[in-house]
Amino acid sequence: DPRHIIAYSDGEVRRQFNVCFTARVVGGRLTISDESTELRFVQPQEIDQLPMHHTQRLRIRHFLEHRERPYLG
């Protein structure tokens, strides 16, 4: 959503966006990187309990609805 603009108290202004990917497990094991603090698999019914921005939740919901086209805001 190009109208999603965040103005921080220190004067910084950003146009925030998120990118979501789909994937499938083919092997290996979950490993935390320097960009994450927690990593786990969750069931779709647990998603509403996770802390995330509403736009991320929207993208996940659209994936679970098997939409043919992405929602761009």
Side-chain angles (χ1 to χ4, degrees), residues 8-23:
Y8 293 93
S9 59
D10 65 359
E12 180 180 355
V13 178
R14 292 184 184 188
R15 177 169 283 135
Q16 196 71 13
F17 66 94
N18 61 60
V19 178
C20 300
F21 298 94
T22 61

Side-chain angles (χ1 to χ4, degrees), residues 32 49 69:
I32 292 179
Q49 306 306 313
R69 295 188 178 171

Side-chain angles (χ1 to χ4, degrees), residues 1-57:
D1 183 348
R3 297 166 295 174
H4 184 204
I5 298 172
I6 300 172
Y8 293 93
S9 59
D10 65 359
E12 180 180 355
V13 178
R14 292 184 184 188
R15 177 169 283 135
Q16 196 71 13
F17 66 94
N18 61 60
V19 178
C20 300
F21 298 94
T22 61
R24 61 184 172 92
V25 177
V26 295
R29 56 181 233 230
L30 294 176
T31 304
I32 292 179
S33 71
D34 60 349
E35 294 183 348
S36 57
T37 58
E38 181 183 355
L39 186 61
R40 63 189 166 111
F41 291 104
V42 298
Q43 296 297 318
Q45 59 270 21
E46 296 177 65
I47 292 171
D48 285 338
Q49 306 306 313
L50 299 174
M52 69 179 79
H53 193 272
H54 71 274
T55 58
Q56 294 169 314
R57 194 177 313 283

